[in-house]
């Protein structure tokens, strides 16, 4: 095996009082000797968060990785992607929470390769994480979210608005430029100590019919086998004509 891979990085955590902190990371990689991804690249991440009061929290972040950056140890830095945004969360009363999120991502280079088929699933432990390269990408996505979460007894009810604006800058795999809006509602209801019922509906209310985020309804059960492991059984019902079968 003539593959040569190296990765090094530095990180820092700065606490600003008891409720605020800044995280900074930088990494650089070098890879050669594989069918794909023979390249050098660097990546960085900055994040600042603060609990302004007991009921008000805020976070802002930016992270970026060159398309030649390689790292199989984490998914927080995706090769070829620059992402920035922020969120604000406020607790109104004892059972109502308001949330606002903004996210901007820019993708370039190549999408990660996806293993498919029974043989790939059976031999996933032996798969070469550097061997696959997906389709070329060059797009941007802006997402705005605003919503509230209400606690009613043991049940949790969510209601939010999501706006997405996607701009595709390549025709290699077909342009997908969309501007769409959805109303997202959800219900989580515990029915046992380790079993919960979940329902979620995503309703397109205007703009383009986005096949990447179609209208759908999801019904399912979450079984918490262990504190770290949850098994979900769910059924999806699509309402978009581009996704739902004829």
């Amino acid at each position: 095996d003539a593959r040569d891979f190296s990765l090094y990085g530095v990180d820092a955590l700065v606490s600003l009082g008891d409720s605020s902190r800044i995280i900074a990371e930088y990494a650089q990689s070098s890879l050669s000797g594989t069918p794909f991804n023979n390249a050098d690249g660097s990546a960085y991440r900055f994040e600042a968060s603060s609990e302004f009061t007991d009921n008000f929290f805020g976070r802002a972040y930016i992270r970026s990785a060159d398309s030649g950056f390689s790292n199989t140890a984490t998914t927080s830095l995706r090769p070829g992607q620059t992402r920035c945004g922020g969120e604000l969360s406020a607790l109104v009363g004892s059972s109502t929470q308001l949330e606002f999120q903004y996210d901007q991502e820019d993708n370039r280079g190549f999408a990660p390769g996806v293993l498919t088929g029974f043989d790939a699933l059976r031999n996933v432990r032996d798969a070469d994480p550097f061997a696959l390269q997906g389709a070329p990408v060059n797009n941007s996505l802006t997402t705005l979210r605003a919503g509230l979460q209400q606690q009613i007894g043991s049940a949790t009810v969510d209601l939010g608005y999501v706006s997405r604006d996607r701009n595709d800058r390549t025709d290699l795999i077909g342009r997908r430029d969309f501007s769409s809006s959805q109303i997202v509602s959800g219900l989580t209801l515990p029915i046992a100590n380790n079993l919960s019922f979940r329902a979620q509906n995503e309703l397109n209310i205007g703009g383009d019919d986005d096949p990447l985020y179609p209208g759908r309804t999801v019904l399912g059960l979450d079984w918490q086998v262990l504190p770290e492991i949850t098994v979900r059984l769910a059924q999806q019902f699509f309402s978009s004509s581009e996704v739902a079968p004829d």
Side-chain angles (χ1 to χ4, degrees):
D1 187 355
R3 184 177 65 191
D4 184 17
F5 174 65
S6 62
L7 173 69
Y8 64 88
V10 294
D11 60 81
L13 172 61
V14 180
S15 296
L16 305 174
D18 297 332
S19 58
S20 302
R21 68 178 187 177
I22 296 175
I23 298 174
E25 298 179 359
Y26 176 81
Q28 188 160 347
S29 70
S30 177
L31 175 65
S32 62
T34 65
F36 306 103
N37 297 333
N38 296 336
D40 299 335
S42 61
Y44 64 86
R45 179 171 79 101
F46 294 97
E47 179 178 316
S49 60
S50 179
E51 188 174 337
F52 303 105
T53 68
D54 292 340
N55 300 326
F56 189 36
F57 171 82
R59 182 175 73 97
Y61 61 88
I62 180 171
R63 55 180 179 263
S64 179
D66 296 336
S67 57
F69 179 72
S70 301
N71 183 9
T72 61
T74 179
T75 58
S76 61
L77 293 169
R78 180 174 174 178
Q81 184 182 85
T82 297
R83 193 166 185 171
C84 63
E87 63 176 307
L88 294 173
S89 177
L91 184 63
V92 182
S94 59
S95 59
T96 304
Q97 182 171 313
L98 301 178
E99 295 182 345
F100 175 81
Q101 297 179 357
Y102 168 83
D103 184 84
Q104 169 73 48
E105 68 177 64
D106 188 78
N107 301 288
R108 60 199 182 280
F110 292 87
V114 179
L115 294 171
T116 60
F118 178 74
D119 289 339
L121 180 63
R122 183 182 58 185
N123 301 316
V124 65
R125 295 174 60 181
D126 301 324
D128 186 348
F130 300 112
L132 291 179
Q133 181 170 278
V137 294
N138 187 358
N139 59 64
S140 62
L141 174 64
T142 302
T143 305
L144 291 172
R145 300 174 184 268
L148 64 88
Q149 182 179 90
Q150 179 71 45
Q151 196 73 30
I152 304 175
S154 61
T156 303
V157 178
D158 297 278
L159 180 63
Y161 169 78
V162 183
S163 173
R164 299 183 180 94
D165 185 10
R166 188 177 192 275
N167 179 27
D168 204 339
R169 296 182 291 270
T170 178
D171 292 318
L172 295 178
I173 57 175
R175 293 182 64 90
R176 292 185 177 273
D177 294 334
F178 299 102
S179 294
S180 61
S181 300
Q182 286 186 327
I183 295 295
V184 180
S185 56
L187 170 68
T188 302
L189 180 64
I191 55 180
N193 290 335
N194 60 349
L195 188 65
S196 297
F197 169 77
R198 289 185 180 271
Q200 181 168 310
N201 178 258
E202 301 170 5
L203 176 65
N204 290 316
I205 59 173
D208 301 324
D209 189 9
D210 191 340
L212 300 180
Y213 301 94
R216 64 173 185 165
T217 298
V218 183
L219 302 175
L221 294 173
D222 283 357
W223 175 35
Q224 189 175 27
V225 183
L226 296 171
E228 304 84 6
I229 301 176
T230 299
V231 177
R232 173 172 294 181
L233 175 65
Q235 174 67 49
Q236 299 186 69
F237 304 91
F238 292 98
S239 59
S240 172
S241 59
E242 295 193 31
V243 179
D246 294 332

